[in-house]
Amino acid sequence: QYSFKENGWGASLAERLVRKCDVVNRGLSGYNTRWAKLILPRLISRSAGAESTVAVTIFFGANDSALKDLNPKQHVPLEEYAANLKSMVQYLKSVDITEDRIILITPPPLQESAWEKECVAKGDRLNRRNATTGQYAQACVQVARDCGTDVLDLWTLMQKKQDFSSYLSDGLHLSSEGNSFLAAELWARLETRLSAFPALLPYWRDVDHANPETSLL
């Protein structure tokens, strides 16, 4: 949901692809795979035009991996998380979005000390652990292998930077730098498919102003 905020990764991709294709945001803050699996047919249907869909990203795990005893509403058991991801991939395939157009994204790492401050400020205890999030990230990678989709392992890639806290605004959600990182990594996977797309409609200087119909119709 936050990906279309200023400097968000969705907004960044939309800017790169302006007049080539539309970037459609269907992110929902706080949701987990259990809920997403139920509403996916409402968000993407066969009538939406699968033949014109270049890529679909599925980005879950930060909420599913919340600790059950401290955040039971968002928590989803690891095995169910993996099964839900597989179910979503299978649904997309059923509406003719093939696995080569699906990209799974793992949850980013959790910076525990920063997120604990957020929790304490709300009167709660630390309700996530980075090691647990890592288990969900590994499960996401395995689902991608099993289903033949691409995968962007944010949890691993971000931690290649010794201090990855700059990628996160509060220990959990992406900062501007984290959004830029995700956008760049996604673009590296999409560029070959999308960079050659022609612009929709001619550049304004190329329009025949005396007879625009010849240029625009």
Side-chain angles (χ1 to χ4, degrees), residues 24 148 201:
V24 181
L201 298 174

Side-chain angles (χ1 to χ4, degrees), residues 18 21 29 50 53-54 61 64 78 92 125 134 149 155 168 174 194 196 200 209:
V18 68
C21 66
S29 175
T53 300
V54 180
D64 298 68
L78 183 62
L92 291 174
R125 293 160 53 197
T149 71
W155 191 85
L168 306 166
L174 296 176
L194 296 171
L200 298 173
H209 69 281

Side-chain angles (χ1 to χ4, degrees), residues 7 13 21 42 45-46 54 80 83 112 114 139 180 186 195 210 213:
N7 300 319
L13 288 177
C21 66
R42 193 188 314 173
S45 63
R46 191 182 302 274
V54 180
E80 183 188 342
E112 292 182 10
S180 294
L186 260 182
S195 59
E213 291 85 355

